[in-house]
Amino acid sequence: MAKTKKSDNSMARDKTQSKKRKISEIAQNGSNSVKLIGTWASPYALRAQVALHLKSVEYEYIEETDVLKSKSDLLVKSNPIHKKVPVLIHGDISICESLNIVQYIDESWPSNTSILPSQPSDRAVARFWAHFVDGKCFQSIDAVAGAKDDAARMALAGSLMECLAALEGAFQKSSKGGDFFGGENIGFVDIACGAIVGPISVIEAFSGVKFLSPDTTPGLLKWAEKFRAHDSVKPYMPSVEEFIEFAKKKFNL
């Protein structure tokens, strides 16, 4: 019987799967050390910490002690393009950008706890909302935070409220009655959205406006409380008071 010759696409897929298996084996065997460069107040570093916790990965945490004034040689070497935290160092590989890091962790350490959904369509939707957070939501947060006075701040607040209203709708649809975007468990969208919890609490403290409220965003309000209290988040999430003090230092308030 003649052997069926594999197509180029099939061979490429086999090579990709082999490469993924090799990365996974390295991760599982612990043959490569894992380090995370971050700073305690970074909402982006929080994402990586939560993902590593969910996957029960042992790692060395390296704090950038004064990221507002200087950056360590290790950070500059590990992320020469952006020179920002977080950076995940796995052996001799440096992974940058928080959402990219979360996906890398999910794929490199297979376990019963999956961060991204299993279905391609669900994964695409999760990535859409994650990028929505990093795009429109953080743009609105930065605009409100950078406003020169209360009048300007209130004028810009509408855009942020629109973003949160969109997330409220996404939560109501995807949570299916559960506590999180992923249902009963924290998933990719929860980790992405978790990055805005601290910054929003700071804006609320300075503006006196409740952006998360039982009237406009009841689902998100309860979600934020559950997210803060989760075992994979609580050890790494600064308190509102700590966020406020950092903001005062950052913006010379």
Side-chain angles (χ1 to χ4, degrees):
M1 183 181 292
K3 292 184 178 179
T4 303
K5 186 177 180 181
K6 286 189 175 183
S7 67
D8 290 343
N9 286 341
S10 178
M11 292 175 68
R13 283 195 298 269
D14 288 346
K15 287 181 180 179
T16 300
Q17 291 301 322
S18 176
K19 185 176 181 181
K20 286 184 177 179
R21 283 195 296 271
K22 184 176 181 182
I23 292 174
S24 177
E25 288 169 1
I26 289 173
Q28 289 177 319
N29 295 335
S31 55
N32 279 355
S33 64
V34 181
K35 300 176 182 178
L36 177 66
I37 307 175
T39 183
W40 67 270
S42 169
Y44 301 106
L46 174 70
R47 289 173 171 171
Q49 290 172 299
V50 172
L52 288 165
H53 189 113
L54 286 172
K55 290 290 186 172
S56 300
V57 179
E58 293 186 5
Y59 65 99
E60 177 187 354
Y61 178 73
I62 303 172
E63 174 78 12
E64 283 287 305
T65 55
D66 196 5
V67 72
L68 295 179
K69 294 182 179 179
S70 62
K71 300 180 181 183
S72 69
D73 292 339
L74 178 62
L75 176 60
V76 174
K77 177 183 177 182
S78 303
N79 189 358
I81 303 300
H82 299 297
K83 303 178 180 65
K84 293 181 178 180
V85 298
V87 180
L88 183 76
I89 303 174
H90 189 190
D92 58 356
I93 302 172
S94 294
I95 313 298
C96 306
E97 298 298 309
S98 61
L99 293 178
N100 190 36
I101 290 172
V102 172
Q103 292 180 73
Y104 178 86
I105 291 169
D106 192 36
E107 294 173 359
S108 296
W109 284 274
S111 68
N112 292 331
T113 303
S114 181
I115 295 174
L116 277 155
S118 58
Q119 292 297 320
S121 58
D122 292 337
R123 294 166 77 93
V125 171
R127 290 191 180 102
F128 170 85
W129 286 112
H131 288 297
F132 175 79
V133 170
D134 274 8
K136 297 198 85 172
C137 291
F138 266 110
Q139 287 172 8
S140 297
I141 289 171
D142 290 343
V144 175
K148 295 181 179 180
D149 52 48
D150 289 342
R153 189 175 294 111
M154 293 308 297
L156 294 165
S159 177
L160 177 54
M161 289 180 173
E162 288 178 3
C163 289
L164 295 176
L167 287 179
E168 174 72 18
F171 175 80
Q172 296 294 350
K173 183 177 180 179
S174 65
S175 64
K176 298 182 173 73
D179 291 331
F180 304 102
F181 282 89
E184 295 302 325
N185 301 308
I186 282 182
F188 189 63
V189 181
D190 296 286
I191 294 174
C193 289
I196 68 175
V197 173
I200 286 178
S201 66
V202 172
I203 292 175
E204 288 181 334
F206 283 116
S207 67
V209 178
K210 287 295 181 183
F211 289 93
L212 296 180
S213 74
D215 295 327
T216 58
T217 55
L220 280 183
L221 181 63
K222 292 180 180 179
W223 165 83
E225 294 172 354
K226 293 286 186 179
F227 183 80
R228 280 183 177 276
H230 196 276
D231 290 343
S232 66
V233 178
K234 193 174 181 178
Y236 318 107
M237 172 78 83
S239 67
V240 174
E241 292 74 22
E242 288 172 325
F243 272 126
I244 291 173
E245 288 304 313
F246 181 80
K248 287 179 179 178
K249 182 178 178 182
K250 180 178 180 179
F251 297 107
N252 296 315
L253 299 175

